[in-house]
Amino acid sequence: MVIQVRYHGDTQPLEKLPQGDWIDLRAAETVEMKAGEYRLISLGVSMKLPKGYEAHLLSRSSTFKKWGVIQANGMGIIDESYCGDNDIWRYSALAMRDTRIEKGDRICQFRIVEKMPQVTLETVEFLDGPNRGGIGSTGAN
């Protein structure tokens, strides 16, 4: 399976490490953020994903510990239609403390997954499955 990648500027080439399923992405710019500030950080790449796939973009496990930023939208979804030369991937960052991220720092990661198949939503009066007891009920007495 091939993912076409266009690099913008002097962005470091992506690499798929053998010990994981995710591909790290790096900040393509140095950014300074104050606590509470929101910023879309350029990742310096545009990609053409394989047909029928989308990318899930998430923080790396060390991102909060190192820089005190969280991904503002929880998870980024990049679908296969976001594939033009100037459709540059970005990381949606919310700073929880004053911080500085250097150009080239690995701040997030992505993997591709198959898109959801076409579905039809059907309105019904009742569902025939058993009730589990509501959210947070697993293992509760």
Side-chain angles (χ1 to χ4, degrees), residues 91-103:
Y91 176 73
S92 179
L94 177 62
M96 305 308 288
R97 64 175 186 255
D98 292 357
T99 192
R100 179 182 171 95
I101 299 171
E102 299 291 336
K103 180 178 180 175

Side-chain angles (χ1 to χ4, degrees), residues 48-63:
K48 184 175 181 184
L49 301 175
K51 185 160 181 57
Y53 285 82
E54 65 189 23
H56 292 183
L57 186 113
L58 293 163
S59 296
R60 294 182 74 241
S61 59
S62 61
T63 299

Side-chain angles (χ1 to χ4, degrees), residues 127-141:
L127 300 174
D128 62 3
N131 288 319
R132 287 189 42 192
I135 294 175
S137 64
T138 301
N141 295 353

Side-chain angles (χ1 to χ4, degrees), residues 5 7 11-15 22-28 41-47 55-60 63 67 78 89-91 101 104-111:
V5 182
Y7 296 98
T11 303
Q12 294 180 24
L14 300 177
E15 62 178 314
W22 295 75
I23 299 170
D24 288 341
L25 293 162
R26 298 172 183 271
I41 301 172
S42 175
L43 300 171
V45 294
S46 299
M47 295 187 215
H56 292 183
L57 186 113
L58 293 163
S59 296
R60 294 182 74 241
T63 299
W67 298 287
I78 302 169
W89 289 25
R90 300 180 189 279
Y91 176 73
I101 299 171
D105 284 340
R106 294 181 301 157
I107 57 173
C108 59
Q109 58 192 338
F110 81 98
R111 69 180 302 167

Side-chain angles (χ1 to χ4, degrees), residues 67-94:
W67 298 287
V69 297
I70 59 174
Q71 190 167 353
N73 56 346
M75 178 172 84
I77 304 291
I78 302 169
D79 67 36
E80 66 184 286
S81 70
Y82 194 72
C83 60
D85 277 345
N86 294 314
D87 290 333
I88 299 172
W89 289 25
R90 300 180 189 279
Y91 176 73
S92 179
L94 177 62

